[in-house]
Amino acid sequence: MKAKGAIAAGHPETARAAAIILEEGGNAFDAALAGLCAAGMAEPVLTSLGGGGFLLARTEMSETTLYDFFVQTPKSRKDDLDFFPIMVDFGTAQQEFHIGRGSIATPGTVKGMFRVHEDLGSMPMTRIVEPAVALAKEGVAINRLQGYIFEVVEKIYNSNEACRAIFASPKNPSKLIGEGETIRNHDYADALQSLALEGEDLFYKGEIARQAAEDCLAGGGTLTMEDLDDYRVVLRKPLEIEYATARLYANPPPSTGGILIAFALEMLKGTGLGALNFGTREHLERLALVMELTNKARVESCLHEADETEAAGGLLDPGFLEIYRRQVLGRPSALRGTTHINVIDAKGNAASLSLSNGEGSAYIVPGTGIMLNNMLGEEDINPHGFHQWPADVRMCSMMSPTLMAETGGAILAVGSGGSNRIRTAILQVLLNLLEFKMPVADAVASPRIHFEGGLLSIEDGFNEDEVSAIQRKFPEAEVWGEINLFFGGVHSVRFDPGQGRFEGAGDSRRGGVSLTV
């Protein structure tokens, strides 16, 4: 039987929801939206209808569009805020997050869902949400990764009664739900069904909007009805990059991830990387130096007015730097928890969808089971102090949904979670495919490095002698003893229409799975 499509996502239930819709004849965009709704149950710390994201779409007619429905800063600020720090423990380090109603930016995910559905969907929204509705009612068993994430954010999701009503352990209500236990959210099921019937206005103009705005007004938030009513999805022309035998399409400014991947690829063009053996000292050194130069370019283009032809040693295209300076400079950025979904169908429709809710604000809109984001709690937004963000602007993100069209006609959809490691993780998978000619599964599974702030992080799996050699070049290096989610979660799907063949890989670092339907 001819395959109908393939999915790669961050959780088995997210992928299964998308697969159900493909099986019933939906296209890649229907399936991606079904996965989006299911991820709100299966990956609740990483995404929510109260957050934002991006969908990079390529239709069977080869038309490519970036749907930007990321969060927006509110129109006004105030002093008396419900905004407080929470220290979370990662085991090897602690980090301070800020939550409360004062951390909520204007969410875009619901508006994005309906705009993508209007433009590209083929099935009724009432059917698209059904797998997630069933999941919310029947429950999701918490797997190891989600159990670990709940351990990390326990102080956020255990901070009030509304959170505990959904996320507390049934065995020990003073603790959060853990691995092997089942989470249910009947309010979320009802909210999905209501949204599918009534449309986006319920969230942006109707009862949900009024409740959220009233609670923020009374309880120390800045989100208003005007913020919600005025929110718009922005359609952008993707950033296009020619590299080797492929044309890549990436998330354009004002977000940063796509253009930083483009910087790195521009520097690697024509350097003969593919002639080196994967994992050798020469390969790792060249990759680390490119990451170092990309970091330098990021700093120079954002913080200085240096001549762009001199930035990063003159290796960067001046046009990229001008775009970066003009469209990214001064915008607040959100870099934290994310998840990713890819779907390609047999007609060649491709969806690369990245989503985030930050860590969550700990405010759940009553009666909906939906936690709103805490994107205004990002320290990077305000180097001079919190709540100095520019009003009513689209926030930057490192999220980098990416599509690749190969010369022979094959299509790849790829993306990653992983905060600031998103760009280096995706870069390495693309190079594994294009330079080292790896199959998709090997390209995703191969070990990675990440260079930032003078520190070279080296994942387990490289040859010890080669690692020792690269450490002599980069003495500030940390060698990890395992394959780790620190290095991203690059989920990928590839479709070769000439052969009618699908390949998929869910990154095991972040609980990823792939399914062919």
Side-chain angles (χ1 to χ4, degrees), residues 21 25-34 55 57 59-60 67 112-125 128 345 349 351:
I21 296 303
N27 64 26
F29 310 113
D30 299 321
L33 295 180
L55 188 143
T59 70
E60 60 186 289
Y67 287 80
M113 279 176 55
F114 280 92
R115 179 59 189 272
V116 171
H117 181 257
E118 178 184 358
D119 290 353
L120 303 172
S122 68
M123 294 181 71
M125 186 66 86
I128 288 171
D345 65 34
N349 296 302

Side-chain angles (χ1 to χ4, degrees), residues 133-207:
V133 169
L135 201 61
K137 291 179 177 179
E138 295 165 11
V140 181
I142 299 297
N143 62 20
R144 179 173 297 180
L145 175 64
Q146 298 302 317
Y148 167 72
I149 293 172
F150 273 123
E151 287 179 7
V152 170
V153 299
E154 176 160 6
K155 290 183 180 178
I156 299 174
Y157 284 69
N158 200 12
S159 62
N160 60 57
E161 286 301 322
C163 289
R164 284 190 287 273
I166 300 171
F167 300 110
S169 166
K171 297 177 183 177
N172 184 355
S174 66
K175 296 288 186 180
L176 285 191
I177 198 163
E179 181 183 357
E181 296 181 316
T182 298
I183 184 171
R184 295 178 176 84
N185 191 339
H186 289 277
D187 284 347
Y188 183 60
D190 292 343
L192 283 174
Q193 289 177 313
S194 296
L195 283 165
L197 289 169
E198 299 182 39
E200 64 186 55
D201 282 357
L202 175 63
F203 195 94
Y204 290 92
K205 301 175 185 289
E207 182 180 349

Side-chain angles (χ1 to χ4, degrees), residues 34-339:
L36 179 159
C37 295
M41 267 304 301
E43 307 170 64
V45 178
L46 300 179
T47 185
S48 164
L49 295 188
F54 306 88
L55 188 143
L56 184 52
R58 182 175 175 86
T59 70
E60 60 186 289
M61 304 303 293
S62 300
E63 297 171 343
T64 308
T65 305
L66 188 284
Y67 287 80
D68 177 347
F69 49 92
F70 200 51
V71 298
Q72 187 102 349
T73 60
K75 294 178 183 295
S76 60
R77 297 185 290 266
K78 61 183 182 182
D79 296 327
D80 186 17
L81 292 173
D82 174 39
F83 185 85
F84 54 95
I86 291 282
M87 293 299 297
V88 301
D89 190 354
F90 288 92
T92 56
Q94 287 192 330
Q95 188 170 356
E96 185 177 82
F97 295 151
H98 289 77
I99 63 171
R101 297 178 195 185
S103 70
I104 299 169
T106 309
T109 296
V110 172
K111 185 80 80 167
M113 279 176 55
F114 280 92
R115 179 59 189 272
V116 171
H117 181 257
E118 178 184 358
D119 290 353
L120 303 172
S122 68
M123 294 181 71
M125 186 66 86
T126 50
R127 179 62 192 115
I128 288 171
V129 304
E130 281 184 13
V133 169
L135 201 61
K137 291 179 177 179
E138 295 165 11
V140 181
I142 299 297
N143 62 20
R144 179 173 297 180
L145 175 64
Q146 298 302 317
Y148 167 72
I149 293 172
F150 273 123
E151 287 179 7
V152 170
V153 299
E154 176 160 6
K155 290 183 180 178
I156 299 174
Y157 284 69
N158 200 12
S159 62
N160 60 57
E161 286 301 322
C163 289
R164 284 190 287 273
I166 300 171
F167 300 110
S169 166
K171 297 177 183 177
N172 184 355
S174 66
K175 296 288 186 180
L176 285 191
I177 198 163
E179 181 183 357
E181 296 181 316
T182 298
I183 184 171
R184 295 178 176 84
N185 191 339
H186 289 277
D187 284 347
Y188 183 60
D190 292 343
L192 283 174
Q193 289 177 313
S194 296
L195 283 165
L197 289 169
E198 299 182 39
E200 64 186 55
D201 282 357
L202 175 63
F203 195 94
Y204 290 92
K205 301 175 185 289
E207 182 180 349
I208 294 176
R210 285 192 294 272
Q211 182 69 65
E214 288 173 5
D215 286 349
C216 283
L217 177 64
T222 58
L223 185 70
T224 66
M225 279 291 289
E226 186 181 7
D227 292 317
L228 291 162
D229 189 31
D230 286 352
Y231 183 88
R232 297 293 182 269
V233 176
V234 180
L235 273 59
R236 304 189 191 276
K237 178 179 172 56
L239 186 66
E240 296 187 27
I241 311 134
E242 294 280 355
Y243 190 88
T245 58
R247 179 181 291 269
L248 293 105
Y249 301 86
N251 194 1
S255 285
T256 55
I259 201 165
L260 292 174
I261 293 171
F263 285 154
L265 290 172
E266 283 294 317
M267 284 186 279
L268 286 165
K269 276 185 179 178
T271 62
L273 184 68
L276 305 174
N277 290 323
F278 177 87
T280 60
R281 177 192 62 79
E282 294 83 3
H283 164 227
L284 297 180
E285 181 177 336
R286 190 170 299 178
L287 199 55
L289 287 172
V290 164
M291 291 177 185
E292 182 179 29
L293 288 169
T294 304
N295 287 334
K296 180 183 177 185
R298 180 187 182 197
V299 171
E300 288 189 357
S301 60
C302 282
L303 301 181
H304 302 290
E305 292 301 319
D307 183 348
E308 62 266 25
T309 60
E310 298 177 0
L315 294 176
L316 302 180
D317 183 273
F320 282 159
L321 286 174
E322 179 56 30
I323 290 171
Y324 205 125
R325 183 177 294 117
R326 178 164 33 90
Q327 298 188 29
V328 178
L329 181 63
R331 287 179 183 258
S333 57
L335 303 175
R336 290 176 177 159
T338 55
T339 193

